[in-house]
Amino acid sequence: MQHSVSIEYARCRGCTTCMKNCPTQAIRVRRGKATILTERCVDCGECIRCCPHKAIKARSDPFSCLEEFQYTVALPDPALYGQFQHLDEVGRVLDGLLELGFHAVYETAKGAELLSDYARKHPGDAAEKKLPVISSACPAALRLIRIRFPQLLEHITSTITPMELAAILARKKAVEETGLLPEQIGVFAIVPCSAQVTAAHSPDDLQQPVLDGAFSIRDLYLRLLSPMQKLDAPHTPSSAGKAGVRWAFCGGEASARGSSERFLAVDGMDSVIRILAAIEDDRVPDVDFVELCACTQGCVGGCLTVEDPFVSTMRLRHLIRSLPDVACSYDDQVGDPAIVQADKELEFAPVYLLDPDRTVAMEKMSAIHDLERQLPGLLCGSCGAPSCHAFAEDVVMGRAQREDCIFQVRARMRAMTGPEDSDEYLPAPFRSKLGKVVPSDR
């Protein structure tokens, strides 16, 4: 998988903040720098948000990619509309994108609306899944399930994401209007988070990617301000209604799908993990549909946006007042159910597998538990791992040494020299006695 999240090592100070906030324990700190265990990364962007030194970034495609194609189409995520102050209609953003050099615009919100209409008209597809049915719209949540909750794979809807459906329909429309070959047309998404950048290049639900690249909202925000301000009046009307734009914030998908009151709309990775664990343990039997958003408030809270997610949600709620409830129909725009269906089966990604041989894996698991019982359990992070269990696993798997734990070093020093001075090597909060106090000059 081609991950978008990367570390700028010149900025990284090895502070362990990202390591402690990673929901999948995919980050370690070694030799004073953070490193990512790429097989465990779900590109949720939590590390990007919390890094105090701005050392972790999401690599999106350069804008110069447009020059590689004879005709280009922009797919703006509806979260983009909530980034601008005093925006009175969506058409101003769409015309601004045309001024930037795109030949056409196809709204991702329209793809979301078509998927919502499909879900309402084909309830039998969801009926084939185990309850509660889990949305497949969030790529970060989807990959999280693949690596941590494989028993829930059969709960996930079999439809593709709004971004992917919009890309398929946009390319088809451009071919019909221009007569160009599909490979001569560049379709680029404008996305709010790192997970969607990764999904544009390495989708979990499709055999081949349907997009040619992805730009972050943050990268295009400043580019859009000037052309949007110069427009006298927008000429491109929005092709999506309230149902599609609502997908930008948490709860919008469930509302647009016409779900009953028996649904959950969950935002934030900690909450998503907690709910998935509850579903796995069969502790939410009275829920029919679950909408998962890895980012706070939904896509408006993506790590590649510029505005506060709560402010952005307020702006979108105001903006959609002028839009129709539904602006497009699945039967008119798509018609073929095969287009909205994923063509690749979701599979368990065993990234936490200790060894392919079960006997060897059990031996390693026993060694991990034995070592973990000898560790202090303080989760201090000074060893470069997010927890004592993760550190014990790193030692057994050869990614770390036992002496990387400062408490193990203290135990060895006590065995050699006695307990008198061994605490001096520990950080102040963990010393059993007060250290020497140096008098101040003041």
Side-chain angles (χ1 to χ4, degrees), residues 360-426:
V360 177
M362 293 298 292
E363 292 174 354
K364 290 182 177 180
M365 178 63 70
S366 178
I368 290 171
H369 288 318
D370 289 343
L371 177 55
E372 186 180 5
R373 282 192 289 267
Q374 302 173 37
L375 299 175
L378 295 174
L379 312 184
C380 63
S382 59
C383 62
S387 67
C388 290
H389 179 83
F391 172 70
E393 179 184 327
D394 287 348
V395 172
V396 172
M397 298 299 291
R399 294 192 292 260
Q401 297 180 351
R402 190 186 185 103
E403 291 73 19
D404 291 343
C405 174
I406 57 175
F407 294 93
Q408 293 291 310
V409 173
R410 180 180 65 170
R412 188 176 65 176
M413 289 187 61
R414 281 181 170 177
M416 292 189 302
T417 64
E420 289 77 13
D421 298 325
S422 58
D423 277 6
E424 296 297 328
Y425 291 88
L426 295 178

Side-chain angles (χ1 to χ4, degrees), residues 44-365:
C44 63
E46 287 296 320
C47 54
I48 297 175
R49 294 185 185 90
C50 72
C51 179
H53 309 294
K54 307 300 179 185
I56 307 180
K57 299 180 179 180
R59 294 172 296 185
S60 55
D61 293 282
F63 203 64
S64 58
C65 287
L66 299 182
E67 301 173 1
E68 301 175 8
F69 301 91
Q70 296 186 31
Y71 190 88
T72 56
V73 185
L75 309 181
D77 190 277
L80 175 65
Y81 311 147
Q83 308 301 304
F84 304 98
Q85 298 181 17
H86 312 300
L87 183 66
D88 50 357
E89 50 185 313
V90 174
R92 189 171 294 275
V93 179
L94 306 183
D95 282 349
L97 290 171
L98 295 176
E99 291 292 324
L100 285 185
F102 291 100
H103 296 93
V105 178
Y106 195 103
E107 295 179 77
T108 301
K110 183 176 180 179
E113 192 163 311
L114 293 173
L115 285 174
S116 302
D117 194 34
Y118 174 83
R120 291 192 299 267
K121 293 178 178 178
H122 296 81
D125 287 5
E128 297 177 358
K129 298 291 181 178
K130 281 192 173 183
L131 292 180
V133 176
I134 300 176
S135 168
S136 61
C138 177
L142 199 63
R143 180 151 177 81
L144 176 69
I145 294 173
R146 287 187 61 207
I147 68 174
R148 286 193 57 176
F149 302 95
Q151 294 181 0
L152 302 182
L153 287 174
E154 51 192 347
H155 292 252
I156 299 174
T157 58
S158 56
T159 52
I160 59 179
T161 67
M163 177 180 70
E164 292 164 345
L165 178 59
I168 293 171
L169 297 178
R171 194 182 302 274
K172 180 181 178 182
K173 181 180 178 182
V175 169
E176 294 173 352
E177 292 180 350
T178 64
L180 296 172
L181 297 174
E183 56 268 22
Q184 295 176 313
I185 298 169
V187 181
F188 295 88
I190 302 170
V191 299
C193 71
S194 51
Q196 292 198 34
V197 175
T198 299
H201 294 283
S202 305
D204 284 294
D205 53 354
L206 294 173
Q207 296 288 349
Q208 297 293 332
V210 293
L211 287 122
D212 297 293
F215 306 126
S216 72
I217 288 178
R218 184 175 297 172
D219 288 343
L220 292 193
Y221 175 77
L222 292 177
R223 290 175 179 263
L224 275 170
L225 287 180
S226 180
M228 285 175 59
Q229 291 171 353
K230 294 178 181 178
L231 291 171
D232 295 331
H235 303 288
T236 305
S238 174
S239 59
K242 296 177 182 177
V245 178
R246 282 196 185 110
W247 279 57
F249 47 83
C250 189
E253 179 187 356
S255 174
R257 287 171 59 99
S259 300
S260 66
E261 295 181 356
R262 293 162 54 92
F263 74 86
L264 292 177
V266 186
D267 65 317
M269 281 297 286
D270 290 340
S271 299
V272 166
I273 292 172
R274 187 171 64 251
I275 287 297
L276 288 175
I279 296 174
E280 189 176 50
D281 295 340
D282 199 23
R283 289 187 279 115
V284 283
D286 51 345
V287 175
D288 293 334
F289 180 76
V290 180
E291 175 185 345
L292 300 177
C293 304
C295 302
T296 302
Q297 287 286 296
C299 291
V300 292
C303 60
L304 300 183
T305 59
V306 297
E307 187 55 272
D308 179 87
F310 300 97
V311 174
S312 183
T313 300
M314 178 199 67
R315 290 175 181 169
L316 283 174
R317 293 186 186 279
H318 174 76
L319 187 62
I320 63 177
R321 291 178 182 177
S322 60
L323 298 177
D325 290 336
V326 177
C328 52
S329 167
Y330 164 80
D331 294 329
D332 296 335
Q333 299 288 329
V334 184
D336 184 6
I339 295 179
V340 302
Q341 296 292 324
D343 63 4
K344 185 169 70 173
E345 184 178 355
L346 294 175
E347 296 180 349
F348 170 46
V351 300
Y352 297 101
L353 186 67
L354 297 177
D355 196 277
D357 188 315
R358 179 169 296 187
T359 301
V360 177
M362 293 298 292
E363 292 174 354
K364 290 182 177 180
M365 178 63 70

